[in-house]
Amino acid sequence: MIIELDPLMTWVIVIGALAVLAAAFLIGRRYGVRRTLNTMRRYAHPPNLSDEAVHDAARYRAALIVNPTKTDVRKLAATAEAICRFEGWNPPLVLETTPEDSGEGATVRALDEGVDVVIAAGGDGTIRAVASALAGTSTPLGIVPLGTGNLLARNIDLVLDKTEWALRIALWGRNREIDVGTAKIAPDGDTHVFTVMTGLGFDAAVMADTNDDLKARLGWLAYVEAGSRKLTGKPSHVKVTFDDEYRISARVRSVLGGNCGRLQGSIQLLPQAVIDDGMLDVLIVSPKNLGQWVGVLASIAGRRASRGLHTNIRKCRKVVIEAGEEVDIQIDGDPLGQSSYLEMEVDPSALTVRVPTVEQRKQIRAEAWPV
């Protein structure tokens, strides 16, 4: 059977078919473009961010707190502003630390401004000062590591020599809650926040005696030089009380409480320390002579400091060390003076830090090993 169509009906059918094909083409093209844009967005930003969060990024603002002794502030600020512009953020609030304010006051100002993330650019002292003001808040800490030790950055696996990536991680990284430690050097004294380690004795004496010019030239090897000059010091008699229950008396060279245990050179001083387990790891070092220091070094190198030669580690939530004389004390590598008393306690999940997402780690590796 043959169906005959008049010319008008034929043209209606042809035009209708062309309209359907055009619509299908436009929809497919639009979907393809959208799929391409979504792919690019997923590559540029972590997969844990929703589309709404990415589109709303223009409402976001970061504060960049910079230690001017560690870097060129204008250059770093320009880099941060360019990255914020590229990522759709508002220009950052840039503040500098001063001899009178190592970062806490600047952080309080940034919080008053309502920023979404506070980025600390400097060494461990700057990081600790900013963390002190952020602890107990919901505002995350981003880190641009510029110091000699960069201990917190090492312990949360941040990139150490890629400033641009450190800034991107601070903007779009994954939030991770970590513990902080608190320390007092008098029973009714001020409370100091630390993120890595606080110690009494040998380690603090090394920090206090490290030459700044040598540290600028040699980096962390300057601590080795200072340590070699302190090995023959005399031990101190201390009473150590764990969690207000268990007490020991000993002659020690150093007592150190840590929230995490990785040092420079991939050394694990506290091999079982976990930064978010709600516990402190307390290391007691008690060599009596140079020969016994070899045993200490062997224990640390073999990651057996918990029950090594002349070393012992105990986990607790609070520890009080009372010495028979005033000795040096350090907090996150910074000398805190001398005292015969040191109290340390853990504050679980008190600080939010920005760490790399899985996608960011892949991109960093891809840049390091281009095909």
Side-chain angles (χ1 to χ4, degrees):
M1 182 178 64
I2 300 175
I3 299 176
E4 294 185 1
L5 299 176
D6 61 56
L8 178 61
M9 183 61 68
T10 301
W11 280 110
V12 168
I13 294 174
V14 170
I15 292 172
L18 290 175
V20 170
L21 290 174
F25 173 78
L26 291 174
I27 292 173
R29 182 180 179 183
R30 182 178 180 184
Y31 175 77
V33 170
R34 180 177 297 174
R35 180 171 58 187
T36 301
L37 290 175
N38 286 339
T39 300
M40 292 174 64
R41 186 179 295 116
R42 285 196 300 271
Y43 187 78
H45 306 298
N48 61 324
L49 285 177
S50 65
D51 286 344
E52 290 78 8
V54 174
H55 289 309
D56 291 343
R59 299 181 304 170
Y60 297 160
R61 191 184 189 194
L64 178 66
I65 298 177
V66 188
N67 184 339
T69 68
K70 299 294 185 181
T71 188
D72 184 328
V73 177
R74 293 180 62 183
K75 183 177 179 180
L76 179 60
T79 300
E81 184 173 351
I83 289 176
C84 285
R85 187 187 310 116
F86 178 80
E87 298 292 347
W89 286 50
N90 285 313
L93 171 66
V94 180
L95 303 171
E96 295 183 29
T97 66
T98 66
E100 296 76 26
D101 175 26
S102 56
E104 291 186 42
T107 304
V108 171
R109 177 183 167 186
L111 292 174
D112 290 341
E113 293 281 342
V115 300
D116 299 281
V117 60
V118 178
I119 307 171
D124 290 318
T126 304
I127 307 304
R128 183 180 65 82
V130 174
S132 296
L134 290 179
T137 74
S138 59
T139 304
L141 167 67
I143 298 175
V144 178
L146 301 174
T148 303
N150 301 315
L151 295 182
L152 181 58
R154 294 177 190 275
N155 280 275
I156 58 175
D157 295 323
L158 288 181
V159 288
L160 300 181
D161 55 354
K162 298 179 184 296
T163 299
E164 294 83 359
W165 265 114
L167 289 166
R168 291 190 187 102
I169 292 166
L171 298 184
W172 292 119
R174 175 175 62 87
N175 284 344
R176 181 183 179 184
E177 292 184 349
I178 65 171
D179 306 332
V180 299
T182 60
K184 294 181 180 181
I185 59 174
D188 56 352
D190 294 335
T191 298
H192 305 272
V193 169
F194 66 93
T195 60
V196 184
M197 300 178 194
T198 290
L200 170 153
F202 169 78
D203 60 297
V206 169
M207 301 300 175
D209 201 40
T210 299
N211 183 278
D212 289 337
D213 292 336
L214 195 62
K215 187 165 66 172
R217 295 201 310 269
L218 300 181
W220 64 271
L221 290 175
Y223 296 124
V224 177
E225 186 276 334
S228 66
R229 292 187 278 107
K230 297 292 183 180
L231 289 176
T232 57
K234 65 177 183 178
S236 301
H237 182 268
V238 299
K239 294 180 180 178
V240 186
T241 305
F242 300 94
D243 291 328
D244 298 322
E245 297 175 349
Y246 179 72
R247 174 177 288 187
I248 64 172
S249 295
R251 294 186 65 81
V252 305
R253 287 300 312 278
S254 182
V255 181
L256 187 145
N259 186 39
C260 46
R262 186 186 303 171
L263 302 181
Q264 302 96 322
S266 300
I267 296 173
Q268 286 284 0
L269 186 61
L270 302 170
Q272 296 180 358
V274 180
I275 202 168
D276 55 4
D277 65 349
M279 303 291 284
L280 289 175
D281 283 44
V282 178
L283 169 65
I284 298 176
V285 181
S286 56
K288 296 178 181 178
N289 52 51
L290 288 175
Q292 292 184 356
W293 270 113
V294 175
V296 171
L297 296 176
S299 297
I300 293 172
R303 300 189 179 185
R304 292 181 290 105
S306 57
R307 291 184 181 179
L309 291 171
H310 319 299
T311 63
N312 184 39
I313 294 179
R314 184 180 181 90
K315 285 185 175 289
C316 63
R317 290 182 172 83
K318 178 182 177 181
V319 61
V320 176
I321 304 107
E322 299 168 284
E325 59 186 352
E326 290 199 344
V327 291
D328 288 295
I329 294 175
Q330 62 86 13
I331 181 166
D332 277 354
D334 287 335
L336 203 59
Q338 290 191 329
S339 177
S340 60
Y341 179 92
L342 176 59
E343 174 186 323
M344 292 178 281
E345 191 168 358
V346 68
D347 189 357
S349 303
L351 180 66
T352 302
V353 295
R354 285 274 166 87
V355 299
T357 64
V358 173
E359 187 65 28
Q360 286 171 334
R361 292 187 189 282
K362 290 180 180 178
Q363 294 176 47
I364 292 169
R365 286 196 297 269
E367 285 187 7
W369 300 96
V371 178

